[in-house]
Amino acid sequence: MAARLAFQRRAARATAAALVGSFALVPTVAFAEASESRASAKKPIYDDDFDVVPSTPSFTSAETTKDVSSPAAATLNAPVTTKSSTRSGERTFTDSLIDVLASTNTPRGPTPTDRLAAQIRRARLFLYKQACVAEDAVNAGMSRAFDLEHSFTSTVAGLAPPRESGERLMPGLIYVLVSGMAGSIVARNRNVVLRGATPLAFGLGAAWVVLPVTMNNVSSLVWKYEQKFPAVADAHIRTREGIEKGIYMAKVHAEIAQHKVDEAATSVRETVEGWVRKGK
């Protein structure tokens, strides 16, 4: 039994040695380079930048006899780079082909995106102009308001009498109001015209007497505004001239009457004195 087991082991070893030797002694052809089928099946271990540029099929003599009148055909019929050409040569050929095709294309119209952008631009410019107009209007309104406020304050300040004049407004205004009330009391039983004009005349007279500086400022301001209306200014001038002329004539007549009274009193006195002397 032990001899049988030893024999089987030796037979197995001999069989395995014979099979290995048969594979080693089989005649095969050794290639210096791998075949194209095996090379194509293997995955390249280098980057694409170092791959060999595939060869471009050359044009036959029949193809080169075609019409080359167009720029695109002339470019296509130009000599094509071989496997030994570099990447720069391939890019140059592509760029030239793109330039020729771009030159032969007709100009295209605006796209919907371009039209939408143009409309948005117009809307933005319109809104900007309206905003500028509104801003200018607000600025102009504020300027007018400030000018009006400054004019009002300066006018009121200009009506007040200066301190060196010694004129005080508070008691003077009270006197003017009392004078106006007195005029209304005097004309209470008269017609409507007198009841309206008498208090005004009494008040203005008292104002010119009590507040001469303030009334002079008020008259200057009224005259400044009257000059904007020539008709009103002319009427004011004529009225003022008539009043001044009437006052002047009244003064003249008063002086004449005073002179006549003085003459009459002098003559009476002389007559009485003569009678007295004759009686002595």
Side-chain angles (χ1 to χ4, degrees), residues 208-264:
W208 279 104
V209 173
V210 179
L211 302 172
V213 178
T214 303
M215 290 302 297
N216 189 15
N217 296 335
V218 172
S219 63
S220 300
L221 178 63
V222 172
W223 173 248
K224 180 180 178 181
Y225 284 103
E226 285 181 354
Q227 287 179 345
K228 297 180 179 179
F229 306 95
V232 177
D234 293 339
H236 186 192
I237 291 173
R238 288 195 297 270
T239 304
R240 184 175 180 178
E241 289 178 353
I243 293 173
E244 290 178 352
K245 185 176 181 180
I247 293 173
Y248 174 75
M249 294 300 295
K251 289 180 178 181
V252 170
H253 286 85
E255 290 177 358
I256 292 172
Q258 184 179 0
H259 183 67
K260 289 182 179 180
V261 170
D262 291 340
E263 288 181 355

Side-chain angles (χ1 to χ4, degrees), residues 3-272:
R4 187 177 179 181
L5 291 174
F7 179 77
Q8 288 179 357
R9 290 177 181 175
R10 291 177 181 177
R13 292 176 182 175
T15 304
L19 289 174
V20 172
S22 64
F23 281 109
L25 296 176
V26 174
T28 56
V29 179
F31 295 94
E33 297 179 355
S35 61
E36 294 181 357
S37 61
R38 293 183 180 180
S40 61
K42 293 181 180 179
K43 185 178 180 181
I45 62 175
Y46 300 102
D47 295 335
D48 294 338
D49 294 338
F50 298 96
D51 291 340
V52 179
V53 180
S55 61
T56 305
S58 60
F59 296 97
T60 60
S61 60
E63 293 175 349
T64 55
T65 57
K66 292 182 180 180
D67 186 13
V68 292
S69 58
S70 63
T75 305
L76 291 174
N77 292 331
V80 184
T81 58
T82 60
K83 293 182 179 180
S84 61
S85 62
T86 59
R87 283 288 182 180
S88 60
E90 186 179 0
R91 286 197 295 270
T92 304
F93 172 76
T94 306
D95 294 340
S96 61
L97 181 60
I98 292 173
D99 295 339
V100 171
L101 293 177
S103 63
T104 56
N105 289 335
T106 57
R108 62 182 180 84
T111 61
T113 304
D114 296 338
R115 290 194 292 268
L116 179 60
Q119 294 298 329
I120 292 174
R121 178 178 177 273
R122 293 177 183 175
R124 290 181 63 185
L125 290 176
F126 176 76
L127 292 176
Y128 175 73
K129 290 180 180 178
Q130 296 301 321
C132 290
V133 171
E135 183 179 2
D136 294 339
V138 172
N139 292 335
M142 294 299 295
S143 298
R144 287 194 296 270
F146 290 149
D147 293 340
L148 181 62
E149 181 184 3
H150 179 70
S151 176
F152 178 76
T153 54
S154 60
T155 300
V156 173
L159 294 177
R163 292 184 178 181
E164 57 270 12
S165 63
E167 185 175 305
R168 301 179 63 183
L169 291 176
M170 193 58 195
L173 292 176
I174 293 175
Y175 297 153
V176 171
L177 291 176
V178 171
S179 300
M181 293 175 65
S184 64
I185 292 171
V186 171
R188 67 181 184 274
N189 295 327
R190 305 293 187 274
N191 56 13
V192 178
V193 177
L194 289 177
R195 280 186 294 178
T198 303
L200 183 61
F202 274 65
L204 289 176
W208 279 104
V209 173
V210 179
L211 302 172
V213 178
T214 303
M215 290 302 297
N216 189 15
N217 296 335
V218 172
S219 63
S220 300
L221 178 63
V222 172
W223 173 248
K224 180 180 178 181
Y225 284 103
E226 285 181 354
Q227 287 179 345
K228 297 180 179 179
F229 306 95
V232 177
D234 293 339
H236 186 192
I237 291 173
R238 288 195 297 270
T239 304
R240 184 175 180 178
E241 289 178 353
I243 293 173
E244 290 178 352
K245 185 176 181 180
I247 293 173
Y248 174 75
M249 294 300 295
K251 289 180 178 181
V252 170
H253 286 85
E255 290 177 358
I256 292 172
Q258 184 179 0
H259 183 67
K260 289 182 179 180
V261 170
D262 291 340
E263 288 181 355
T266 301
S267 62
V268 170
R269 187 182 61 185
E270 290 177 353
T271 302
V272 172

